Amino acid sequence: MRAAILGCLLVTLAAAQPGNWTTYSGDPGAQRFSPLTQINTRNVSGLKPAWVYQVGQKSEFETTPIAVDGVLYITEPPTVVTALDARTGRPLWTWRRTLPKDLQTIGFGRVNRGVAVIGDTVYVGTLDAHIVALDAKSGAVRWDTEVADYKLGYCITGAPLAVKDKIITGTSGGEAGIRGFVDAYDAKSGKRAWRFYTIPGPGEPGHDSWSGDAWKTGGGSTWVTGSYDAATNLIYWGVGNPGPDWNGDDRPGDNLYTCALVALNADDGTLKWHFQYTPHDDHDWDATEIPVLFDATVRGKTRKVVAMANRNAFYYLHDRATGEFLLGVPYAKQTWAKGLDDKGRPIVLPNTSPSVEGTLLWPNLNGSTNWFSPSYSPLTKLFYVSVREIGAYYYKSPAEYKPGTFFAGGGERALYGDDAHGSIRALDASTGKLKWEFPLHTPPWSGVMATAGGLLFGGSDEGNFFALDAGTGKALWQFQTGGKVVSNPMSFSVDGKQYVAIAAGQGLFVFGL
């Protein structure tokens, strides 16, 4: 009872502070929807830069700012936290992590996507796999806890998730043959409260989906922030690919819980339910996309659902209390499955696994979408997703595990140029049917945000930050940032004025009327 009350209080406080952006996806249910209406379809054409903050590193700038009472908390690459005056962009303090000289990021860049905030404390995951708590007013370290051994390939690139009195984090490292997990830490002390291994060990449910000792290097990284439902007290977290990525010969079976969504009890980390999207994946189709919570009418019945636009090109709906499979339909081009059966398991077409000669398939390894956030609008009842239309030749090669090295068993050759493009697609959230799409020149690497002002914000590889009519997809405004947009939009207000922010190139751009 106490847990449910605390969880509901967290959601209520977030809803009562529409001018703040209090968690990575805007709300615990990860809708990435701003309730602010000052910037809307009638006046968005007048949106102009208010200020720009430049970072000093050339690595990709993927942060989503957290906005709390006139302060923006951002991460800069590789592991830097900065507090900015939300009115002017003036830095208030900066904390920099000194990283080990032998640190390697295996299969990904030196990036960080954001922080979590509880009260007067800011929490960040580091590339050397620690969780650090910082004083929100000064940046002083309050505690520093090691999560895993970076020398084995573990890193943290995602923003933590604050749930009641705990900080939840996952790890990167699937291409290094790690054994993935989701962790919870006490927000006050930094002591680990629980751990859920995404690769079950001997005697644990799901272990029989592995052969021999393959589970020890099974992958299953958890590198993107999950979501939380106070009513069920469940945390929803996506799990990455099995290891090695493209050669599954030595790991026969479904390889649970890779490429799955897991629902965990927030208090003790026990598994309530799971759903595996791509059993025995050999295409690197992580299920680390954002799980989004909302109510939907499915086959005439109102259901409380969790939705995922998966990297494998299918859009899914589940009952979020039980995990029951409700819907699965393609939202992008795919050539690997005939469809899904009644339980949501893919009906895999023959000759689609990687080969020595190369196997042509859609989507490519980065998928039909990826880590960047989708959005759901409770006003339009549409689910918005940045879509990548790109295929690839998948190659298979021998894989030998050596700690802290690349453990992939192959690779791909993507079809760039005229064979690749992208779009923003609006799906009927209850059916997955396409309502409209906004074409993009190249496959995007940026998320979207819907607003109560009737807008949908997004970005492109070409550096355009744009606003669309959320109901129709009509282009209403755009700004050329001068740098690739590889982040997610957010919105906040201060002194009664609404702003919209996006990280692009090496700058954080903040816009207002």
Side-chain angles (χ1 to χ4, degrees):
M1 177 67 72
R2 179 176 177 270
I5 292 172
L6 286 171
C8 290
L9 179 61
L10 180 68
V11 175
T12 301
L13 287 173
Q17 304 176 66
N20 289 338
W21 188 275
T22 57
T23 191
Y24 175 73
S25 295
D27 67 280
Q31 293 184 1
R32 198 166 283 269
F33 173 81
S34 171
L36 301 176
T37 59
Q38 188 178 91
I39 300 171
N40 53 57
T41 56
R42 297 184 303 276
N43 59 23
V44 69
S45 61
L47 208 58
K48 291 180 171 54
W51 53 264
V52 180
Y53 173 79
Q54 299 287 350
V55 300
Q57 296 289 327
K58 292 185 179 180
S59 299
E60 290 189 337
F61 188 26
E62 298 183 354
T63 194
T64 293
I66 297 295
V68 180
D69 299 337
V71 178
L72 297 188
Y73 300 97
I74 68 168
T75 52
E76 306 176 34
T79 303
V80 178
V81 180
T82 299
L84 302 171
D85 185 319
R87 299 167 181 82
T88 65
R90 178 176 65 89
L92 303 175
W93 56 259
T94 295
W95 173 82
R96 299 179 184 276
R97 180 72 168 181
T98 300
L99 296 172
K101 292 183 179 180
D102 61 345
L103 173 71
Q104 299 184 70
T105 54
I106 301 171
F108 53 93
R110 293 195 166 209
V111 300
N112 190 289
R113 297 185 181 89
V115 302
V117 174
I118 297 179
D120 59 358
T121 308
V122 178
Y123 304 87
V124 65
T126 71
L127 277 182
D128 56 341
H130 284 231
I131 286 287
V132 181
L134 306 172
D135 182 271
K137 291 186 178 179
S138 67
V141 175
R142 290 186 168 175
W143 53 257
D144 181 336
T145 300
E146 183 182 50
V147 174
D149 185 355
Y150 73 86
K151 293 182 180 180
L152 297 177
Y154 289 97
C155 293
I156 300 177
T157 57
L161 178 68
V163 175
K164 297 185 288 187
D165 58 352
K166 293 181 177 65
I167 296 298
I168 317 299
T169 187
T171 72
S172 302
E175 279 65 61
I178 64 163
R179 183 188 180 196
F181 55 82
V182 179
D183 271 2
Y185 293 86
D186 181 87
K188 290 291 186 184
S189 68
K191 182 179 179 181
R192 194 171 85 197
W194 52 257
R195 170 170 289 181
F196 171 79
Y197 278 107
T198 59
I199 310 297
E204 296 175 346
H207 180 69
D208 59 358
S209 66
W210 295 87
S211 178
D213 288 337
W215 66 277
K216 294 180 179 179
T217 55
S221 55
T222 48
W223 52 282
V224 176
T225 311
S227 53
Y228 171 67
D229 179 28
T232 59
N233 197 36
L234 292 178
I235 293 166
Y236 305 90
W237 212 281
V239 183
N241 60 275
D245 299 47
W246 300 291
N247 187 335
D249 292 350
D250 293 331
R251 51 173 176 83
D254 283 355
N255 305 145
L256 292 170
Y257 295 98
T258 65
C259 297
L261 181 64
V262 294
L264 309 176
N265 182 288
D267 296 328
D268 58 17
T270 54
L271 179 68
K272 177 67 180 292
W273 59 261
H274 78 277
F275 184 88
Q276 190 176 41
Y277 299 102
T278 313
H280 189 72
D281 173 41
D282 53 9
H283 297 95
D284 193 9
W285 289 333
D286 299 32
T288 49
E289 295 71 53
I290 299 283
V292 184
L293 313 183
F294 52 87
D295 293 348
T297 301
V298 184
R299 293 187 288 275
K301 183 179 179 180
T302 300
R303 306 289 294 259
K304 294 185 178 300
V305 303
V306 52
M308 179 180 283
N310 195 271
R311 192 158 158 171
N312 70 10
F314 285 85
Y315 172 75
Y316 298 84
L317 292 179
H318 307 275
D319 182 288
R320 64 178 182 256
T322 66
E324 179 188 353
F325 169 74
L326 302 175
L327 177 76
V329 293
Y331 68 92
K333 181 178 180 178
Q334 63 84 24
T335 60
W336 68 278
K338 183 179 179 181
L340 307 178
D341 68 17
D342 291 342
K343 294 184 178 180
R345 188 179 179 91
I347 305 167
V348 180
L349 292 168
N351 304 314
T352 53
S353 287
S355 61
V356 174
E357 301 80 13
T359 302
L360 178 60
L361 216 62
W362 274 261
N364 82 326
L365 74 85
N366 284 326
S368 298
T369 195
N370 206 284
W371 65 269
F372 34 86
S373 292
S375 179
Y376 169 78
S377 170
L379 302 180
T380 64
K381 309 297 184 184
L382 296 178
F383 184 99
Y384 306 96
V385 58
S386 299
V387 178
R388 300 169 51 84
E389 293 284 18
I390 178 171
Y393 287 93
Y394 286 88
Y395 297 92
K396 175 181 175 181
S397 65
E400 179 182 358
Y401 175 72
K402 294 180 180 179
T405 63
F406 197 58
F407 181 59
E412 66 138 30
R413 177 166 59 85
L415 302 178
Y416 291 107
D418 291 342
D419 293 312
H421 62 278
S423 64
I424 307 298
R425 291 185 182 160
L427 311 179
D428 182 310
S430 295
T431 66
K433 292 181 180 179
L434 179 67
K435 289 300 183 180
W436 58 256
E437 73 174 316
F438 177 76
L440 299 172
H441 291 292
T442 51
W445 207 247
S446 171
V448 291
M449 175 191 66
T451 78
L455 299 168
L456 184 76
F457 288 91
S460 73
D461 276 16
E462 290 74 29
N464 286 317
F465 182 46
F466 52 80
L468 311 176
D469 185 303
T472 66
K474 179 183 178 181
L476 301 177
W477 171 86
Q478 71 91 29
F479 180 88
Q480 174 53 239
T481 66
K484 186 177 179 180
V485 184
V486 289
S487 62
N488 299 306
M490 56 83 68
S491 187
F492 65 95
S493 69
V494 62
D495 299 332
K497 185 173 182 179
Q498 182 185 358
Y499 297 90
V500 177
I502 191 73
Q506 272 67 57
L508 177 68
F509 291 78
V510 176
F511 300 87
L513 294 172

